[in-house]
Amino acid sequence: MNYIATINIPKFQEDLITWFEREQRTLPWRENQDPYRVWVSEIMLQQTKVDTVIPYFQNFMKHFPTLEALANADEQEVLKAWEGLGYYSRARNLQSAVKEVVAHYDANVPDVPKELDRLKGVGPYTKGAILSIAFDQPEPAIDGNVMRVLSRILRIEEDIAKAKTRKTFETVVRELISHENPSAFNQGMMELGALICTPKSPSCLLCPIQGHCRAYHDGVEQTLPIKTKKTKKSSHTYFALVMEDDAGNFILEQRPEQGLLAQLWQFPMVDTKQVDPSHLSLFVEEKYQVQIKSIENLNPVKHIFSHLTWFLDVKHIHIEGKINLTERIRQLSKVEISKFPLPVSHQNIYKQL
DNA sequence: AATTCGGGGTG
DNA sequence: CACCCAGAATT
């Protein structure tokens, strides 16, 4: 299907780019074209709003101003800078890929697709964003914004939840993209999706490319894009154990290397299905080899992830005795805990102390 | 092709 | 409550 047959491409490019140059937001990663800064910003912006990313980006650049600084940093330090941003594998993959660039590309971010492809955490979107924004190459960068905007402009009624559909958009962008200013073209598409062509009630009357928009012409902009996938959610209930000794130290454990919240630290959690609540004391004394002096309830914590919900029944347990410490189980003071990366749910427990 | 990865904002 | 966000890795 030839979606772009009726598009006046030069006029479309000019209208979009002129609008972008005039209306773009002032953002820290737009200060220059430093490929490292573009790269970091694109990783942070994955599934994450601009307003959320700004302070994280500023802080990250302060701590890790160069590829070398990030490559040489301690992983826990990197995770601490990522704390609260979510999708923590982004941080670990980014550091891994940066090490790769320092070691094998003499600390120069690759400017060819096949080399970018091999870097951990760099997928089709991020590759295109780096190539177009940092290196001025006319490569597509297809994200959720671009699919929404172009599904409307071209009235593309394919299901954007299907992986294959991204290729449709790559194909049309290769035909539409400005070769004179691919960076402004790609960023303009995304900026338009963020500011004008929003998911609900798009501001078509303010849109710089309204005259090119088939969905607006046909009055169907509200029905696009088409997206079928539904979310199925589960929930889990845990005891969260705030175990404090007489000296005011708390037991923290590190989560596994893989999976949800990998490598972050937390107050020990026990699945409520694994233990009879009336025998919690015995269970804890046995598992952690401690003597329990008292138990009080703290405020329960409910935490909603995108695909599941945690209910944390928080127990403040005063203990005495020698705890069995390992690399992944430590006894820490309140001040020391603040240096460790914690999930937001456990930050909420920490705040109660 | 479907699932797993966070967290916050919006209506 | 459901949906969305400058998506990628894993299964």
Side-chain angles (χ1 to χ4, degrees):
Chain A
M1 173 131 192
N2 184 4
Y3 287 111
I4 65 167
T6 64
I7 297 286
N8 179 340
I9 295 178
K11 181 71 159 50
F12 176 83
Q13 294 172 345
E14 183 191 339
D15 290 344
L16 177 64
I17 290 173
T18 300
W19 173 83
F20 176 70
E21 301 289 6
R22 186 176 67 244
E23 300 290 341
Q24 65 171 296
R25 292 166 288 183
T26 301
L27 299 173
W29 48 89
R30 288 180 175 163
E31 288 174 7
N32 57 50
Q33 279 180 278
D34 177 358
Y36 170 61
R37 290 168 62 89
V38 172
W39 183 6
V40 171
S41 73
E42 292 303 339
I43 300 299
M44 287 189 170
L45 285 161
Q46 288 170 9
Q47 299 300 105
T48 311
K49 299 257 199 211
V50 163
D51 289 344
T52 302
V53 167
I54 290 172
Y56 282 93
F57 181 82
Q58 302 278 35
N59 180 60
F60 200 88
M61 281 305 151
K62 191 168 149 191
H63 284 274
F64 316 110
T66 63
L67 284 159
E68 290 87 345
L70 181 55
N72 295 328
D74 186 81
E75 182 188 278
Q76 287 292 307
E77 222 183 312
V78 178
L79 284 173
K80 186 65 186 177
W82 212 270
E83 181 184 64
L85 196 53
Y87 286 147
Y88 298 94
S89 66
R90 293 184 295 177
R92 303 203 298 144
N93 287 338
L94 173 61
Q95 189 187 24
S96 169
V98 162
K99 288 183 178 185
E100 173 78 11
V101 168
V102 169
H104 293 102
Y105 296 107
D106 194 25
N108 294 311
V109 178
D111 62 353
V112 292
K114 293 184 72 173
E115 293 177 353
L116 284 168
D117 262 326
R118 285 191 222 111
L119 298 176
K120 281 184 190 170
V122 177
Y125 163 75
T126 303
K127 170 179 58 176
I130 292 172
L131 289 170
S132 60
I133 298 171
F135 298 116
D136 297 307
Q137 295 182 30
E139 291 289 320
I142 309 302
D143 72 335
N145 286 309
V146 173
M147 288 197 283
R148 183 173 59 255
V149 171
L150 283 181
S151 73
R152 288 169 176 166
I153 296 296
L154 304 174
R155 195 168 173 174
I156 295 173
E157 295 177 319
E158 298 178 42
D159 181 2
I160 68 167
K162 294 187 178 303
K164 200 177 65 175
T165 303
R166 199 195 71 248
K167 297 181 185 300
T168 299
F169 288 92
E170 285 180 355
T171 300
V172 299
V173 166
R174 287 192 186 282
E175 303 187 49
L176 288 175
I177 193 169
S178 163
H179 286 237
E180 289 68 41
N181 198 344
S183 172
F185 182 93
N186 279 345
Q187 292 191 77
M189 292 294 262
M190 295 186 275
E191 196 82 341
L192 194 65
L195 301 180
I196 304 286
C197 196
T198 50
K200 293 171 185 174
S201 59
S203 306
C204 298
L205 300 182
L206 301 177
C207 181
I209 54 176
Q210 180 206 99
H212 303 275
C213 187
R214 184 168 164 200
Y216 180 75
H217 179 271
D218 297 347
V220 297
E221 67 274 9
Q222 299 274 7
T223 72
L224 291 168
I226 292 171
K227 185 174 186 180
T228 59
K229 199 182 299 177
K230 309 194 190 325
T231 56
K232 66 166 197 283
K233 304 184 67 169
S234 58
S235 65
H236 296 277
T237 305
Y238 299 92
F239 294 114
L241 309 175
V242 180
M243 292 182 276
E244 179 177 8
D245 67 10
D246 290 335
N249 293 317
F250 299 86
I251 298 181
L252 252 68
E253 68 182 11
Q254 190 173 24
R255 294 181 58 83
E257 292 184 25
Q258 307 267 338
L260 184 68
L261 305 169
Q263 297 285 76
L264 273 64
W265 292 76
Q266 65 183 14
F267 298 101
M269 300 213 303
V270 176
D271 193 328
T272 53
K273 285 181 308 212
Q274 286 181 4
V275 53
D276 182 341
S278 65
H279 294 92
L280 180 62
S281 294
L282 277 172
F283 182 90
V284 171
E285 288 187 324
E286 183 130 338
K287 177 162 183 179
Y288 294 95
Q289 293 296 304
V290 296
Q291 299 288 327
I292 294 180
K293 297 167 67 180
S294 65
I295 300 184
E296 318 144 27
N297 288 322
L298 293 176
N299 293 330
V301 170
K302 178 184 179 183
H303 190 79
I304 303 173
F305 299 88
S306 43
H307 57 301
L308 63 94
T309 300
W310 275 0
F311 295 98
L312 304 183
D313 186 353
V314 187
K315 303 291 188 187
H316 191 177
I317 304 176
H318 288 271
I319 60 171
E320 60 182 16
K322 289 277 188 184
I323 289 84
N324 209 3
L325 300 179
T326 69
E327 265 306 299
R328 304 183 81 88
I329 299 182
R330 300 189 195 181
Q331 218 170 356
L332 304 166
S333 71
K334 251 186 234 183
V335 173
E336 288 170 329
I337 291 174
S338 69
K339 300 172 188 167
F340 286 68
L342 270 59
V344 167
S345 50
H346 284 254
Q347 293 176 45
N348 289 333
I349 296 173
Y350 177 77
K351 285 186 210 157
Q352 295 188 45
L353 304 180

